[in-house]
Amino acid sequence: MDNDFNISGIRFSLKKESVPYHNRLTYKVTILLLILLKCCRGRGCSLTKFQIIMNYLHSKESQRQLIEFIGTNKTFVYLRYDSTVISALEFMECDKLIELQSNGSVKLTDKGKKIAEIVWEDKEIFLFEKKFLTQLGSSMTETLVKKNYW
């Protein structure tokens, strides 16, 4: 089967996915909105907390490790800064989905909250991520983050 297409003299070749879904800006923006909606409850969220949650979001095993850390504080979680999270936050601020607070944390705007609620209510998308964010809730406090990473 030929995977090449010609349209108006332009040649398109089907290739493997160039950017995995979890590295795409739209995915990051949506997940960050959901984190703010369900794990920060209007108080805002630090960049460090965003990064930790995003680092442990993508597999059941890593999710279990983060929940165990929060519950016992006997384990250790890694903090890795992902530049795409920062890019997504910059995009979100420009699109007025979030606002930066004077203490450096990020808070949802009304526009951001409305979009996050629409995504949260959809029963067909982000099911894996929503289940984890529900389990995590607001148990990962900024106090816990500061205690372990400052």
Side-chain angles (χ1 to χ4, degrees), residues 82-99:
D82 179 351
S83 62
T84 61
V85 170
I86 296 166
S87 296
L89 289 168
E90 289 171 346
F91 175 83
M92 294 165 69
E93 182 182 22
C94 288
D95 205 27
K96 309 249 187 285
L97 301 175
I98 59 170
E99 59 186 29

Side-chain angles (χ1 to χ4, degrees), residues 2-14:
D2 186 17
N3 287 334
D4 292 341
F5 301 96
N6 286 304
I7 302 171
S8 301
I10 302 172
R11 183 180 173 134
F12 296 91
S13 298
L14 292 178

Side-chain angles (χ1 to χ4, degrees), residues 31 35 39-40 45 47-58 63 66 70 79 132-133 136-137 140:
I31 295 302
I35 290 170
C39 300
C40 300
C45 188
L47 179 59
T48 302
K49 183 175 175 178
F50 277 133
Q51 294 286 1
I52 293 169
I53 294 171
M54 292 298 283
N55 289 339
Y56 286 84
L57 181 69
H58 301 294
Q63 291 175 358
L66 183 58
I70 292 167
L79 173 59
F132 174 61
L133 296 177
L136 187 61
M140 183 173 199

Side-chain angles (χ1 to χ4, degrees), residues 60-75:
K60 287 182 179 182
E61 177 58 24
S62 62
Q63 291 175 358
R64 184 196 61 73
Q65 290 172 353
L66 183 58
I67 296 295
E68 182 181 325
F69 167 75
I70 292 167
T72 65
N73 209 9
K74 292 180 182 176
T75 59

Side-chain angles (χ1 to χ4, degrees), residues 77-121:
V77 294
Y78 293 97
L79 173 59
R80 179 182 67 86
Y81 280 87
D82 179 351
S83 62
T84 61
V85 170
I86 296 166
S87 296
L89 289 168
E90 289 171 346
F91 175 83
M92 294 165 69
E93 182 182 22
C94 288
D95 205 27
K96 309 249 187 285
L97 301 175
I98 59 170
E99 59 186 29
L100 297 176
Q101 300 184 107
S102 60
N103 65 359
S105 66
V106 175
K107 185 176 178 181
L108 278 175
T109 62
D110 290 340
K111 179 181 177 183
K113 185 175 181 180
K114 184 176 181 179
I115 292 169
E117 288 172 342
I118 290 168
V119 172
W120 189 265
E121 294 303 318

